[in-house]
């Protein structure tokens, strides 16, 4: 389809922390799977007539096969999830498109995104869409028809549309990052439902704010709600549309300081999700529109672009810096939350199976020594019988000898008398 494949040699991306950990834990669970299956085969061999393993033991270990299978399924599908929130038109969809290096999601002035759009990697070369709850795969040209508020096919705003995009076309998707776009937080009263449905398993939240104005109460309220349901959420704040500052260079520093102070205050003092020092590392001044344009040009996609405003390179570097810090944060957080629990369960399963096998081994050893003891006693008994026999035989022989002698004596006596 003529798309330019981007350079995939991204081995030192922080996302690799997650990718490698995922590979490792999947490999370990293959081993646990083999171990449990071997144990079951062995137990069947020593159960039944031999009665070394009880039927209950066998059933207990057998039950682990399906448990391990279920964990393996979850692990295969595990991914890192980032959700974007902010007021209408702040540029959420544009930020996601810039991160994906392509115009995938609908964006534009006014209220654009009208439902949740989840972009994830597709294992095939095709891009397609699927609405939650339906199996129908739609052509991706309809992203705008499905997700755009001005288009005919109206979806409920809390509905979810999956957008599958070829992994090969984007490093983030290839490394198992899933990106969730949302309608503006100011256009809905259903924030609680949103959080329950789409936020509880997110590893990172990105608040896309508008640097032309300031953080708004609706945006703050949304994150207050989030932080009551999730302990210590990872939140980044993007002050987007920072290209607007190019037209007022004399106030640039002051405005930046004002925004930065408010954002630090919001994260550290209001939400208490991090220290002021950590908060400084979570706040960026960017222009998603410029970043997307720059990347479209790099990939030689046809763009009708005006010349970029002064300072666009600095803003672009800050965007790249955001991506790096975001990648570090999301991969570490996802490894902790997704794999720690599974590796604990894996360890417990292996230990349980081991304990059962130990028990079987002990029973078998006890049986063996009991048998050896039985043999020893039998041997002793035999020996004593043998001894008795020898003694009896000896006595008999002597008796017979004496009888013969006495008979001979009597015979010779009789003979001499005659
Ligand atoms: P909704 O989906 O309606 O909630 O909006 P959104 O937050 O997804 O915003 P969207 O990405 O659709 O952007 C809205 C408009 O702002 C579009 O016309 C974008 O081109 C424009 N825009 C986005 N980012 C920037 C930016 O950094 N600078 C400027 N100047 N315009 C931007
Ligand atoms: Mg949008």
């Amino acid at each position: 389809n003529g798309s330019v494949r981007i350079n995939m040699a991204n081995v030192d991306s922080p996302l690799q922390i997650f990718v490698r950990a995922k590979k490792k834990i999947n490999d370990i669970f293959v081993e646990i799977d083999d171990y449990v299956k071997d144990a079951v085969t062995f137990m069947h061999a020593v159960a039944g007539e031999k009665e070394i393993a009880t039927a209950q033991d066998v059933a207990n270990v057998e039950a682990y096969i399906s448990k391990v299978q279920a964990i393996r399924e979850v692990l295969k599908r595990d991914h890192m999830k980032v959700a974007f929130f902010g007021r209408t038109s702040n540029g959420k969809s544009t930020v996601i498109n810039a991160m994906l290096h392509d115009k995938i999601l609908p964006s534009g002035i006014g209220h654009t995104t009208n439902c949740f759009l989840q972009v994830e990697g597709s294992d095939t070369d095709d891009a397609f869409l699927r609405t939650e709850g339906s199996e129908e795969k739609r052509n991706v040209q309809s992203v705008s028809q499905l997700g755009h508020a001005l288009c005919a096919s109206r979806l409920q705003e809390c509905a979810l549309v999956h957008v599958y995009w070829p992994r090969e076309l984007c490093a983030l998707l290839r490394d198992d990052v899933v990106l969730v776009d949302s309608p503006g937080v100011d256009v809905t009263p259903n924030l609680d439902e949103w959080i329950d449905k789409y936020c509880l398993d997110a590893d990172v939240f990105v608040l896309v704010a508008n640097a032309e104005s300031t953080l708004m109460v609706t945006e703050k309220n949304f994150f207050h709600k989030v932080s009551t349901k999730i302990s210590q959420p990872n939140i980044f704040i993007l002050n987007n549309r920072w290209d607007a500052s190019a037209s007022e260079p004399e106030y640039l520093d002051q405005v930046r300081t004002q925004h930065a102070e408010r954002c630090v205050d919001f994260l550290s003092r209001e939400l208490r999700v991090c220290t002021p020092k950590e908060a400084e590392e979570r706040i960026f001044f960017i222009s998603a529109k410029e970043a997307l344009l720059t990347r479209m040009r790099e990939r030689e996609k046809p763009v009708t672009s005006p010349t970029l405003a002064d300072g666009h390179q600095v803003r672009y570097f800050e965007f790249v810096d955001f991506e790096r810090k975001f990648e570090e944060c999301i991969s570490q957080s996802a490894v902790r939350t997704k794999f720690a629990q599974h590796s604990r369960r894996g360890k417990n399963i292996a230990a349980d199976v081991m304990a059962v096998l130990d028990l079987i081994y002990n029973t078998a050893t006890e049986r063996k020594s009991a048998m050896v003891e039985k043999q020893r006693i039998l041997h002793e008994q035999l020996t004593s019988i043998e001894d008795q026999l020898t003694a009896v035989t000896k006595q008999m022989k002597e008796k017979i000898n004496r009888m013969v002698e006495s008979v001979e004596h009597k015979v010779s006596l009789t003979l001499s008398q005659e």
Side-chain angles (χ1 to χ4, degrees):
N1 55 6
S3 11
V4 183
R5 307 223 152 190
I6 59 171
N7 181 16
M8 285 291 140
N10 198 15
V11 283
D12 59 6
S13 152
L15 295 176
Q16 291 298 317
I17 299 170
F18 179 85
V19 174
R20 288 197 203 104
K22 179 171 169 179
K23 178 161 178 356
K24 207 162 189 177
I25 194 165
N26 274 290
D27 289 349
I28 291 172
F29 266 87
V30 171
E31 279 178 39
I32 295 180
D33 202 13
D34 286 347
Y35 174 57
V36 174
K37 283 179 182 154
D38 283 353
V40 168
T41 313
F42 169 73
M43 289 176 74
H44 274 298
V46 298
E49 287 162 27
K50 296 184 189 123
E51 287 183 339
I52 295 178
T54 66
Q56 187 60 57
D57 284 342
V58 180
N60 286 350
V61 175
E62 242 166 0
Y64 282 131
I65 295 183
S66 57
K67 277 184 200 153
V68 170
Q69 206 60 44
I71 296 176
R72 283 185 64 189
E73 283 304 312
V74 172
L75 283 175
K76 250 188 270 169
R77 272 183 285 116
D78 257 344
H79 53 241
M80 297 170 267
K81 183 167 157 185
V82 50
F84 295 78
F85 292 98
R87 286 182 73 249
T88 313
S89 272
N90 281 3
K92 301 175 293 294
S93 305
T94 311
V95 169
I96 297 177
N97 286 339
M99 290 172 81
L100 295 171
H101 296 242
D102 209 340
K103 268 190 184 156
I104 297 175
L105 302 177
S107 70
I109 53 170
H111 167 36
T112 308
T113 310
N114 74 332
C115 63
F116 278 79
L117 290 162
Q118 174 164 320
V119 189
E120 54 202 284
S122 129
D123 292 321
T124 64
D125 265 353
D126 304 324
F128 60 93
L129 295 182
R130 194 171 54 77
T131 345
E132 184 91 322
S134 125
E135 285 302 310
E136 190 198 347
K137 291 179 179 178
R138 304 202 205 190
N139 183 308
V140 103
Q141 260 67 58
S142 56
V143 176
S144 66
Q145 288 147 35
L146 267 185
H148 203 295
L150 296 178
C151 293
S153 61
R154 289 265 170 148
L155 286 168
Q156 276 197 327
E157 63 190 20
C158 65
L160 176 66
V161 174
H162 291 270
V163 180
Y164 295 93
W165 196 254
R167 288 173 191 273
E168 290 297 307
L169 296 179
C170 174
L172 281 181
L173 300 180
R174 191 210 44 188
D175 287 345
D176 278 338
V177 177
V178 167
L179 304 96
V180 179
D181 192 10
S182 63
V185 284
D186 46 341
V187 296
T188 179
N190 301 327
L191 295 180
D192 286 296
E193 189 182 353
W194 281 16
I195 295 171
D196 291 342
K197 267 179 121 166
Y198 301 114
C199 299
L200 300 183
D201 66 339
D203 299 294
V204 168
F205 296 89
V206 178
L207 164 55
V208 181
N210 186 349
E212 288 167 307
S213 54
T214 188
L215 278 188
M216 302 271 174
V217 176
T218 39
E219 291 165 329
K220 288 184 164 192
N221 280 346
F222 177 76
F223 281 95
H224 273 292
K225 275 176 192 277
V226 168
S227 68
T228 60
K229 300 206 185 194
I230 301 171
S231 76
Q232 303 297 105
N234 296 305
I235 304 172
F236 284 82
I237 301 181
L238 296 180
N239 291 287
N240 191 33
R241 296 174 165 269
W242 191 231
D243 48 312
S245 67
S247 56
E248 293 172 30
E250 64 276 29
Y251 291 116
L252 189 140
D253 287 336
Q254 269 172 285
V255 175
R256 188 179 170 122
T257 310
Q258 184 194 54
H259 282 323
E261 277 171 3
R262 287 184 187 177
C263 292
V264 168
D265 197 60
F266 177 56
L267 292 181
S268 61
R269 206 181 52 74
E270 270 191 53
L271 293 180
R272 297 172 184 275
V273 292
C274 57
T275 64
K277 188 106 196 75
E278 286 164 341
E280 280 169 25
E281 299 288 307
R282 293 280 171 90
I283 295 156
F284 299 86
F285 292 79
I286 58 143
S287 167
K289 190 178 180 177
E290 288 174 347
L292 178 59
L293 268 172
T294 307
R295 289 185 167 169
M296 300 285 284
R297 279 181 187 164
E298 269 172 13
R299 297 176 67 180
E300 290 159 3
K301 289 253 178 173
V303 279
T304 48
S305 57
T307 47
L308 298 175
D310 276 356
H312 67 92
Q313 271 166 332
V314 179
R315 289 187 289 276
Y316 183 65
F317 287 143
E318 193 153 343
F319 188 79
V320 174
D321 188 31
F322 152 68
E323 288 180 307
R324 180 123 196 136
K325 300 240 168 66
F326 154 77
E327 289 180 7
E328 274 167 17
C329 175
I330 198 168
S331 59
Q332 280 167 12
S333 160
V335 166
R336 247 195 328 270
T337 55
K338 311 229 149 107
F339 299 152
Q341 187 198 353
H342 281 138
S343 64
R344 261 199 309 279
R345 285 191 65 194
K347 238 169 144 175
N348 289 344
I349 291 173
D352 284 357
V353 174
M354 174 89 174
V356 175
L357 291 180
D358 255 355
L359 217 70
I360 293 177
Y361 177 76
N362 288 342
T363 318
T365 322
E366 275 166 24
R367 292 263 180 99
K368 190 179 160 192
S369 51
M371 236 129 89
V372 169
E373 178 66 12
K374 233 186 201 162
Q375 261 176 1
R376 195 183 59 77
I377 295 169
L378 215 67
H379 186 258
E380 265 176 15
Q381 285 172 346
L382 282 173
T383 320
S384 105
I385 291 171
E386 240 171 43
D387 290 351
Q388 283 169 20
L389 273 175
T390 326
V392 170
T393 331
K394 207 173 144 207
Q395 282 172 8
M396 291 288 283
K397 260 188 190 159
E398 283 168 4
K399 217 173 175 179
I400 291 169
N401 279 342
R402 277 199 304 276
M403 271 164 64
V404 170
E405 264 171 32
S406 117
V407 170
E408 272 177 354
H409 180 69
K410 279 182 189 160
V411 169
S412 66
L413 213 85
T414 322
L415 280 180
S416 67
Q417 279 172 358
E418 279 176 4

